[in-house]
Amino acid sequence: GDSVTQMEGPVTLSEEAFLTINCTYTATGYPSLFWYVQYPGEGLQLLLKATKADDKGSNKGFEATYRKETTSFHLEKGSVQVSDSAVYFCALPNTGGFKTIFGAGTRLFVKA
Amino acid sequence: IAGITQAPTSQILAAGRRMTLRCTQDMRHNAMYWYRQDLGLGLRLIHYSNTAGTTGKGEVPDGYSVSRANTDDFPLTLASAVPSQTSVYFCASSEQGAQDTQYFGPGTRLTVL
C-alpha cells in the first residue's frame, strides 16, 4: 500500500544553516505531494506542494522537487531562521480519494 | 475570513462520558476531515466527509462518529470516551478531496481520565 517515510527528528541547526528533511514515498498512481508545517500550538498549514513529476514547489525560501525516479520529495532551505522552528510533515494523498498519509513529522529547532 | 474554527480549545473528560467536538468552516469546501495527532504517529484520519450528507471511515474510526448535516459543520462525537482517546484533534477541509490543499483548524486538546 501507499506509504510515506520521513526522517526522524529532532533536527537542531544554527541560524543561516542549510536544511534538508528527507521524505520518500510509495504510491500507486500519480499523486500530488505536500509539505505542511505546524508551528507551536497551531494546526498544520500548507508550506508547499507539487502536482506531478519534476515539479518544484517553493514557498518562504523552502523548496522540494517531486522526483519520481527516486520516489522522493525532500524539503530544503538554504538559510534557516529561528522563526522556522516548527514540525514539518510530508504528506501523500490517495489519488481521487479522501485519505492522506502523513509522515510522522520532523521537529526542527533553529538556534540564534 | 476565519477559515476553520474548532471548539472547545481543550477539555478534560471523565472516561465513559459523551463528548462532541465542534468544527465549522466558512470556505464552502465540499470535503472535511477529522484527524487525531499523537506523538510519534503523525496525523491519523478518523472520519471524512466528501459532501453534505455523506461521510466515510478513515484509518482509526472506532469509538467515533460524525455527521454532516450541512456544508459548514462537521461535528465529531465520542459516545463513551476512553483514555486511549486522549489526543489532539484537528478538523480540516479541502475544496473537493485529498489532492487539494487541506486547511486545518487550531485543534482541540482532549484528555480522558
Side-chain angles (χ1 to χ4, degrees):
Chain A
D2 293 0
S3 67
V4 169
T5 302
Q6 186 176 340
M7 68 182 280
E8 292 186 22
V11 174
T12 302
L13 296 173
S14 297
E15 212 166 19
E16 299 184 4
F18 185 86
L19 168 71
T20 299
I21 301 178
N22 290 338
C23 173
T24 57
Y25 68 91
T26 304
T28 53
Y30 302 95
S32 297
L33 294 170
F34 295 80
W35 277 101
Y36 287 88
V37 59
Q38 184 179 30
Y39 298 103
E42 298 182 10
L44 279 71
Q45 58 185 270
L46 177 70
L47 180 59
L48 53 84
K49 64 183 282 190
T51 58
K52 60 184 189 296
D54 300 325
D55 261 5
K56 178 186 282 188
S58 61
N59 186 27
K60 298 181 181 181
F62 291 89
E63 294 182 338
T65 301
Y66 189 156
R67 301 231 184 259
K68 195 163 180 289
E69 65 277 11
T70 55
T71 62
S72 65
F73 193 53
H74 303 323
L75 182 68
E76 296 182 336
K77 186 174 186 183
S79 176
V80 294
Q81 305 300 312
V82 172
S83 57
D84 294 326
S85 297
V87 182
Y88 294 82
F89 293 91
C90 185
L92 169 68
N94 68 333
T95 307
F98 299 90
K99 298 180 181 180
T100 297
I101 298 172
F102 287 86
T106 301
R107 184 175 295 277
L108 172 66
F109 293 103
V110 181
K111 302 181 297 184
Chain B
I1 296 177
I4 295 205
T5 57
Q6 291 184 238
T9 301
S10 65
Q11 182 75 43
I12 299 174
L13 190 66
R17 297 297 295 268
R18 181 183 179 89
M19 176 74 192
T20 295
L21 308 185
R22 300 186 297 280
C23 173
T24 300
Q25 55 117 347
D26 64 1
M27 296 173 282
R28 308 302 292 173
H29 286 168
N30 282 316
M32 296 188 75
Y33 314 84
W34 273 105
Y35 293 94
R36 58 178 290 173
Q37 183 177 31
D38 302 290
L39 196 62
L41 296 176
L43 270 76
R44 293 181 292 169
L45 182 66
I46 304 170
H47 285 287
Y48 66 90
S49 168
N50 53 317
T51 190
T54 306
T55 63
K57 293 182 179 180
E59 183 184 356
V60 288
D62 294 342
Y64 305 95
S65 64
V66 292
S67 61
R68 185 92 183 273
N70 56 60
T71 297
D72 298 343
D73 301 301
F74 190 46
L76 175 74
T77 297
L78 290 67
S80 179
V82 295
S84 62
Q85 292 178 312
T86 294
S87 187
V88 181
Y89 292 86
F90 289 99
C91 180
S93 72
S94 67
E95 281 196 36
Q96 298 295 338
Q99 291 286 322
D100 301 315
T101 299
Q102 292 184 52
Y103 296 83
F104 286 79
T108 293
R109 182 174 294 275
L110 181 68
T111 302
V112 182
L113 302 176

